[in-house]
Amino acid sequence: MVEKYKKEVANDVVFNLEYNSERQRLLIPEYGRHLQKLIDQATIIEDAETRNKAAKYIIQVMGSLNPHLRDVPDFQHKLWDQLFIMSDFKLDVESPYPIPSRDVLQLKPDVLQYPQNFPKYRFYGNNIKYMIDVANKWDDGEMKNALILVIANHMKKSYLSWNKDTVKDDVIFEHLFELSGGTINLLQSTEELLNTTDLLRTNKRMSNKITPAGPPKIQSNKNNNKGGKTKPFQKNNNQK
């Protein structure tokens, strides 16, 4: 009589459990451990023809995870590169694309140079300084004076966004004189900037703050029923 079920000792089963912490680290975890085991098995195949067939089969399995990109040439190139990466560059098969190397994979991109500006009056922003530099390059005339006045009003609006209190025009003129390196001097000018109240109203209107939604409005039935009385239920005798 053939024994159908084999009785196992519970302690032996628990002792032989395989935990993820004891398994080999996955190079590309998105494909899972089963695909990693397929690649490991294909790597140790001795016959070259069988090994190439196994590699193409693994590529099909990898492409089945993204069927809408399976036939795109660039995506196929990506799959073959990932196949060699997951095999730790030990898989010796014929690839339709150039085989990547470990050195290329470990290359790091150049550090992106971000503009590091630390202005004294940070609440004005860097755009104000750019506008002042452009104004300094213009020839004297009405266009330059109009641009300087626009810059001063924008400075006042930015200042009020940072400080909600009132600000005098003399403070803006002093900051403009300092930021321009002394080339734009409105300290003795009779020009007046926009009113603080108007600028604050503009800042509030242009703000991105979302006001909290109020309670939902309940529609009344007074307009539908005259006198506010509910209609009595009437039985339809035509219904069967």
Side-chain angles (χ1 to χ4, degrees), residues 41-59:
Q41 292 177 4
T43 305
I44 60 178
I45 295 177
E46 296 181 357
D47 184 38
E49 184 178 356
T50 307
R51 191 167 56 248
N52 287 322
K53 289 182 179 180
K56 293 179 181 179
Y57 171 75
I58 294 173
I59 290 295

Side-chain angles (χ1 to χ4, degrees), residues 144-184:
K144 182 176 181 179
N145 295 334
L147 178 60
I148 292 174
L149 189 60
V150 170
I151 294 173
N153 282 307
H154 190 68
M155 290 174 62
K156 186 174 182 180
K157 184 174 67 174
S158 301
Y159 188 96
L160 291 173
S161 298
W162 168 70
N163 185 4
K164 298 301 182 181
D165 297 334
T166 183
V167 57
K168 295 182 179 180
D169 295 347
D170 297 339
V171 177
I172 302 299
F173 294 156
E174 290 178 0
H175 293 173
L176 181 59
F177 180 79
E178 184 177 355
L179 294 175
S180 64
T183 57
I184 300 178

Side-chain angles (χ1 to χ4, degrees), residues 25-233:
R25 185 180 66 88
L26 295 177
L27 297 177
I28 303 181
E30 289 80 0
Y31 289 105
R33 190 167 298 278
H34 295 291
L35 188 63
Q36 181 67 52
K37 289 182 178 181
L38 282 177
I39 296 175
D40 295 339
Q41 292 177 4
T43 305
I44 60 178
I45 295 177
E46 296 181 357
D47 184 38
E49 184 178 356
T50 307
R51 191 167 56 248
N52 287 322
K53 289 182 179 180
K56 293 179 181 179
Y57 171 75
I58 294 173
I59 290 295
Q60 293 179 0
V61 175
M62 295 170 65
S64 64
L65 300 177
N66 298 287
H68 60 288
L69 298 173
R70 185 167 47 194
D71 298 329
V72 179
D74 294 339
F75 185 68
Q76 287 286 323
H77 192 180
K78 180 180 179 181
L79 291 181
W80 279 98
D81 290 345
Q82 291 178 344
L83 175 63
F84 289 108
I85 293 172
M86 294 175 68
S87 67
D88 198 18
F89 302 97
K90 298 178 181 178
L91 185 62
D92 185 13
V93 293
E94 297 178 0
S95 173
Y97 305 97
I99 300 176
S101 61
R102 193 186 303 272
D103 297 334
V104 176
L105 182 63
Q106 294 177 353
L107 289 177
K108 295 183 179 180
D110 297 334
V111 179
L112 184 63
Q113 299 294 332
Y114 286 95
Q116 300 294 336
N117 296 326
F118 303 97
K120 182 178 180 180
Y121 307 106
R122 301 183 65 179
F123 46 85
Y124 289 135
N126 293 324
N127 291 333
I128 286 291
K129 188 65 174 64
Y130 298 151
M131 294 171 66
I132 294 174
D133 295 339
V134 171
N136 287 330
K137 298 178 182 178
W138 285 17
D139 297 332
D140 295 338
E142 295 182 358
M143 293 292 294
K144 182 176 181 179
N145 295 334
L147 178 60
I148 292 174
L149 189 60
V150 170
I151 294 173
N153 282 307
H154 190 68
M155 290 174 62
K156 186 174 182 180
K157 184 174 67 174
S158 301
Y159 188 96
L160 291 173
S161 298
W162 168 70
N163 185 4
K164 298 301 182 181
D165 297 334
T166 183
V167 57
K168 295 182 179 180
D169 295 347
D170 297 339
V171 177
I172 302 299
F173 294 156
E174 290 178 0
H175 293 173
L176 181 59
F177 180 79
E178 184 177 355
L179 294 175
S180 64
T183 57
I184 300 178
N185 188 359
L186 298 178
L187 297 175
Q188 305 299 329
S189 177
T190 58
E191 292 285 350
E192 294 184 0
L193 301 179
L194 295 177
N195 191 9
T196 302
T197 305
D198 297 336
L199 290 175
L200 287 175
R201 187 183 300 112
T202 303
N203 289 344
K204 184 177 181 181
R205 185 171 62 251
M206 298 299 293
S207 176
N208 291 328
K209 294 181 180 179
I210 301 176
T211 56
K217 295 182 179 180
I218 300 176
Q219 296 182 355
S220 177
N221 294 327
K222 292 183 178 180
N223 296 329
N224 298 332
N225 300 331
K226 295 181 179 180
K229 297 181 180 179
T230 58
K231 295 181 179 180
F233 176 76

